[in-house]
Amino acid sequence: MVGNHLLQHRELSATAIGVGAYIQSLPEGAPVGIRALTDRFVEGEIRISAALRELEQHGYLERRRERLESGRVVTRTYSYNKPLTTPDEPPPPPEREPVPDPEPEPQRAADPEPTPQPVHPGATALLAGLRRHDPRLLLAERDVQRLAPGVSAWLERGADPEAIGLALTTNLPEPLRSPASVLAYRLKALLPPHLPAAPASRPIRRPDPFQTCDGCDRAFRSPHPGRCRDCPPPPEVRAAA
């Protein structure tokens, strides 16, 4: 039986509640690793992993790194129908025989919090508007915040927002099981290079201004006033020569 304390938990997400109820409904010895759960549900590895971390933080799940007699290190998952009350109390015995996962799972809950990256002002709006192109791209708020730095990198490299939208929404896989995972992959794999520096422009030589010839009043170009080339020099210049 699944208790209301799980189904009506105020701090667990809907995904975590669903995964927790599913795990408690399994028979003894059933695999409950990330790969087994992603094969069962449409959510991708990122959401399943986040749900397992929530259950672990609230005492419904415990994952331990253990070494087998063969020397291989595996992760054993322990599920509890009632959450652990305090971290100082010894955990109760598991209610089903734990089954080692096929491969060791990383303890992501222990990883340090990543340093927040600067986000371009238009990145979140672009991601939130992708559902206008394809209704399947309706992203959760936390997915928008997680993917926004990737879109910012495109914008900082001079990519046009419309071009980014086409790159993210064209030829999506069928069926689209995890939109956020597909977008995260494309943002990283298709990241365009930086624009090359613009070539140095040569200085523009402006033509000489128009002058009015002192001899024939004809307009001609010259840096200084005087006579055009068709008029003879003035008398004082001829006398000096």
Side-chain angles (χ1 to χ4, degrees):
M1 297 181 63
V2 181
N4 285 338
H5 53 81
L6 171 62
L7 299 179
Q8 299 181 11
H9 203 288
R10 293 288 185 177
E11 299 180 8
L12 289 176
S13 65
T15 303
I17 293 175
V19 171
Y22 172 75
I23 291 177
Q24 292 189 14
S25 70
L26 294 176
E28 294 185 2
V32 291
I34 294 179
R35 290 191 176 182
L37 294 174
T38 52
D39 290 340
R40 169 61 179 81
F41 296 104
V42 298
E43 284 77 8
E45 292 185 3
I46 295 177
R47 290 191 177 182
I48 293 296
S49 178
L52 292 177
R53 289 199 300 271
E54 290 183 51
L55 294 170
E56 191 171 11
Q57 291 169 0
H58 289 85
Y60 288 97
L61 205 68
E62 183 180 11
R63 290 182 285 184
R64 304 177 190 171
R65 299 290 295 274
E66 300 180 1
R67 186 180 298 276
L68 302 179
E69 295 181 357
S70 62
R72 180 185 177 191
V73 177
V74 298
T75 299
R76 293 184 184 272
T77 302
Y78 298 85
S79 174
Y80 305 104
N81 287 347
K82 294 183 179 180
L84 300 176
T85 54
T86 61
D88 298 332
E89 293 183 1
E95 299 185 4
R96 58 174 62 91
E97 182 68 23
V99 178
D101 293 334
E103 295 182 0
E105 298 290 346
Q107 293 288 340
R108 296 189 179 181
D111 293 342
E113 291 294 331
T115 303
Q117 302 181 26
V119 176
H120 192 279
T124 54
L126 190 151
L127 287 166
L130 291 179
R131 54 186 171 183
R132 297 192 183 101
H133 300 273
D134 192 323
R136 297 174 298 171
L137 297 179
L138 177 61
L139 301 175
E141 178 67 22
R142 60 183 178 183
D143 289 331
V144 171
Q145 298 301 328
R146 180 172 58 87
L147 297 174
V151 177
S152 297
W154 283 58
L155 294 172
E156 291 170 358
R157 298 190 178 196
D160 183 76
E162 184 176 353
I164 299 176
L166 289 175
L168 297 179
T169 59
T170 303
N171 295 328
L172 292 173
E174 293 288 351
L176 186 59
R177 297 181 57 185
S178 179
S181 298
V182 173
L183 296 180
Y185 171 78
R186 291 192 174 189
L187 286 172
K188 183 177 181 181
L190 305 179
L191 179 65
H194 288 281
L195 283 175
S201 58
R202 296 182 179 180
I204 301 176
R205 184 180 180 278
R206 299 184 179 277
D208 294 333
F210 282 104
Q211 309 289 349
T212 301
C213 178
D214 295 339
C216 64
D217 291 334
R218 185 171 61 182
F220 71 102
R221 290 186 180 273
S222 174
H224 308 289
R227 296 194 174 203
C228 66
R229 62 183 179 180
D230 295 332
C231 289
E236 59 270 16
V237 176
R238 292 200 300 269

